[in-house]
Amino acid sequence: MSRVAFIGVGTMGAPMAANIARGGRAVVAFDVNTEAVTRLASVGIEAANSAADAARGADFVITMLPNSQHVEAAAFGPDGFAAHMATDAMYIDMSTIAPSKTDSIGAKMAEYGVAVVDAPVGRQQSHAVAGKLLIMVGGTAEHFERAKPILSLMGDTIIHCGGRGAGSRMKVVNNFMSIALNSLSSEALVLAEKSGLDPELARTVMLGTVAGQGHFGSTYPAKVLQGDVGPGFMIDLAHKDMGLAMELGRDLDIDLSTGQAALKAYDLARTDGRGREDWTAIYLSARAAAGLK
């Protein structure tokens, strides 16, 4: 039976550690909040006095911490775990931190002779409780397979994103999109409500179109990702319609800043000569602007 050291048992980490214990692994936990660790005794999780104490004799050391400073302190600070891990152990960082920090921490951990993967999570606290997280993993194929049995106790969707650091990068990209969409969603509902529409009715309508269904499950796989930019809905028309929305926002004295940024992206695509192509061709203009071939 593998022994798992879990460092950082907050809102997400606590149910994740609990699910590992319920999966039959011996779990020892450490957190600066001792009460958070004590609450896990009911599922058989042992409390450690420090990160170093937790790591001694562990087959896997997992960190789920708020930021890179916390991860670095837990690993390399006084009573850090790095110097106390067995060389045949594996370190899994499930924190959401800057990819550059994932790289530097991973490289430094590798100097201790341990296997390293980054495995940040997607979805929410309720999914952590249910053991149904989406987990994005960066590491070698061998390390991914080694980590997968432990990760599968916490999530139902385990995706190998590439080499070490790829999981961290995928998490940042995913959050970039979801957080930006959250802003646009709020602007859309405010525009609806201030126009005299019921927000719930607006939500129902948008769930029946790409607005609520998302481009990744509809337009992108059917058009631009297939190399097809023949107009289903032209960029020129999208630009016109976004202009109408911005005009309505001005009339109602609403700051639609996310919409304004999107309008600039459509301006760029039209400048590139893509006005009569499918609206998903905006992706090709964005790629070109980023220097991608």
Side-chain angles (χ1 to χ4, degrees):
M1 180 176 67
S2 55
R3 181 177 174 85
V4 179
F6 205 107
I7 300 167
V9 287
T11 301
M12 295 291 285
M16 291 163 66
N19 283 329
I20 295 174
R22 293 188 186 103
R25 271 61 170 186
V27 180
V28 56
F30 172 73
D31 195 290
V32 293
N33 180 357
T34 56
E35 291 183 6
V37 179
T38 301
R39 287 193 290 269
L40 291 170
S42 61
V43 292
I45 292 178
E46 179 185 344
N49 295 319
S50 67
D53 183 33
R56 292 186 183 96
D59 301 293
F60 297 89
V61 174
I62 297 174
T63 47
M64 185 62 173
L65 293 164
N67 57 49
S68 58
Q69 289 83 2
H70 291 99
V71 177
E72 289 174 322
F76 311 118
D79 290 324
F81 61 80
H84 300 277
M85 290 180 66
T87 55
D88 60 350
M90 170 173 275
Y91 171 53
I92 304 173
D93 182 25
M94 305 189 76
S95 315
T96 297
I97 62 177
S100 60
K101 288 295 186 180
T102 294
D103 294 344
S104 61
I105 292 169
K108 192 170 181 179
M109 285 299 304
E111 292 176 1
Y112 287 86
V114 301
V116 179
V117 300
D118 46 287
V121 305
R123 301 178 181 158
Q124 301 171 24
Q125 198 260 353
S126 61
H127 298 101
V129 172
K132 294 184 177 181
L133 292 168
L134 183 152
I135 303 176
M136 297 154 270
V137 186
T140 66
E142 176 188 355
H143 290 166
F144 171 71
E145 292 301 327
R146 183 174 163 191
K148 193 172 180 180
I150 294 296
L151 298 176
S152 295
L153 298 174
M154 297 176 279
D156 63 357
T157 309
I158 317 297
I159 301 174
H160 187 204
C161 298
R164 195 172 72 208
S168 180
R169 285 165 171 81
M170 187 69 257
K171 176 61 185 291
V172 170
V173 171
N174 175 79
N175 280 15
F176 164 74
M177 184 168 184
S178 62
I179 292 166
L181 285 173
N182 183 39
S183 176
L184 186 59
S185 298
S186 72
E187 288 184 10
L189 288 182
V190 168
L191 184 61
E193 187 172 3
K194 200 157 185 183
S195 296
L197 299 169
D198 175 51
E200 182 58 29
L201 174 65
R203 188 186 71 87
T204 299
V205 169
M206 288 185 281
L207 283 173
T209 74
V210 174
Q213 296 168 2
H215 284 278
F216 281 3
S218 53
T219 62
Y220 271 55
K223 298 295 291 184
V224 70
L225 295 180
Q226 294 292 329
D228 177 9
V229 293
F233 180 48
M234 285 193 299
I235 281 176
D236 279 345
L237 293 177
H239 182 272
K240 181 206 73 173
D241 288 356
M242 180 60 85
L244 294 175
M246 300 307 297
E247 181 180 346
L248 178 60
R250 287 191 295 272
D251 290 345
L252 298 172
D253 196 25
I254 302 171
D255 179 16
L256 301 177
S257 55
T258 309
Q260 187 63 50
L263 185 61
K264 291 180 181 179
Y266 283 99
D267 281 335
L268 173 63
R270 297 177 81 212
T271 300
D272 285 347
R274 297 189 178 278
R276 299 191 66 79
E277 294 180 350
D278 188 77
W279 59 333
T280 58
I282 194 173
Y283 169 56
L284 302 181
S285 289
R287 290 186 80 253
L292 295 171
K293 297 180 180 178

